[in-house]
Amino acid sequence: QSALTQPASVSGSPGQSITISCSGTSSDVGGYNLVSWYQHHPGKAPKLIIFWGSKRPSGVSNRFSGSQSGNTASLTISGLRAEDEADYHCCSYAGGSSYVFGTGTKVTVL
Amino acid sequence: QVQLQQWGAGLLKPSETLSLTCGVFGGSLSGYYWIWIRQPPGKGLEWIGEIDHSGSSSYNPSLESRVTISGDTSKNQFALRLSSVIAADTAVYYCANIRNNAFDIWGQGTMVTVSP
């Protein structure tokens, strides 16, 4: 079980859109449409922002959107705001009641 | 609204056993799936293992020989035990529930340090 690959960092100016990729294999990301994304501010618990690849939980801003193509999932944050500065983690179901996380991406708002 | 509160020892010596408990408040342990996740300093999140509503558990293969996750429906809590800890087990440990193959309610996190 290898970690999913995410860029170490992504940055953008307020109001811009950024996209974070999450690359896996046909045994995880590509094998299931079960990728979730988490926003993680330092010192706090991670917060679920996307499940099933593109679904937003109740209360999560529609500025967050998810998609998937083959073995790669993506998270797009539109209308970037200062409060979006955080770490973002993807996670995929990998079969057999197992999960694999991504390497994590630090988002910086310039 | 379900809340998770976790507790346990935060400082261990190598070879000791890590023991953390996660209490489920405002909801029932039964009928859901529960998970433990950790984040070593400066690294990403790592799935440790999960327990389902029947008490059946599954573990990360890299930890399987040392980890046990158990549930106690009478106390509405579930627990993590990791034996023979080493420095590499130093991490923030989180409990969470699983819904729609995602983790939507998290405990507050417990920093566990393994040091001689």
Side-chain angles (χ1 to χ4, degrees):
Chain A
Q1 242 187 14
S2 297
L4 308 177
T5 301
Q6 298 180 234
S9 62
V10 174
S11 61
S13 299
Q16 286 187 329
S17 294
I18 61 170
T19 297
I20 302 167
S21 60
C22 171
S23 296
T25 70
S26 58
S27 296
D28 38 63
V29 176
Y32 309 90
N33 192 22
L34 294 174
V35 172
S36 53
W37 288 90
Y38 303 85
Q39 178 189 61
H40 192 187
H41 287 106
K44 292 192 170 184
K47 174 187 176 183
L48 175 66
I49 55 174
I50 295 288
F51 67 97
W52 288 355
S54 62
K55 304 296 185 185
R56 281 187 306 275
S58 174
V60 172
S61 172
N62 59 8
R63 297 186 300 106
F64 296 96
S65 61
S67 63
Q68 180 174 330
S69 177
N71 296 337
T72 299
S74 299
L75 173 72
T76 297
I77 309 174
S78 58
L80 200 60
R81 298 179 180 175
E83 60 260 37
D84 298 331
E85 186 161 294
D87 294 327
Y88 290 81
H89 306 272
C90 64
C91 180
S92 175
Y93 181 70
S97 298
S98 71
Y99 294 85
V100 59
F101 280 96
T103 48
T105 298
K106 181 176 180 59
V107 168
T108 300
V109 181
L110 302 172
Chain B
Q1 176 75 341
V2 175
Q3 293 185 338
L4 303 180
Q5 185 173 347
Q6 52 184 104
W7 61 91
L11 182 60
L12 298 171
K13 291 181 168 49
S15 81
E16 292 184 334
T17 295
L18 180 157
S19 181
L20 297 175
T21 302
C22 184
V24 180
F25 300 90
S28 174
L29 188 70
S30 303
Y32 292 93
Y33 289 60
W34 307 92
I35 193 169
W36 286 96
I37 293 162
R38 70 181 184 179
Q39 184 176 34
K43 296 188 177 181
L45 299 170
E46 180 181 30
W47 167 71
I48 297 173
E50 69 170 53
I51 186 168
D52 69 20
H53 51 79
S54 70
S56 177
S57 54
S58 59
Y59 305 121
N60 188 320
S62 69
L63 299 169
E64 189 164 19
S65 63
R66 299 191 291 131
V67 67
T68 302
I69 296 175
S70 59
D72 187 335
T73 54
S74 67
K75 295 182 178 180
N76 222 29
Q77 61 192 34
F78 62 105
L80 168 69
R81 287 175 60 86
L82 181 66
S83 63
S84 303
V85 296
I86 59 176
D89 293 317
T90 294
V92 178
Y93 287 75
Y94 295 98
C95 60
N97 87 320
I98 305 173
R99 188 169 64 163
N100 299 320
N101 292 101
F103 321 126
D104 65 342
I105 300 172
W106 294 66
Q108 78 275 23
T110 300
M111 179 67 210
V112 176
T113 301
V114 179
S115 179

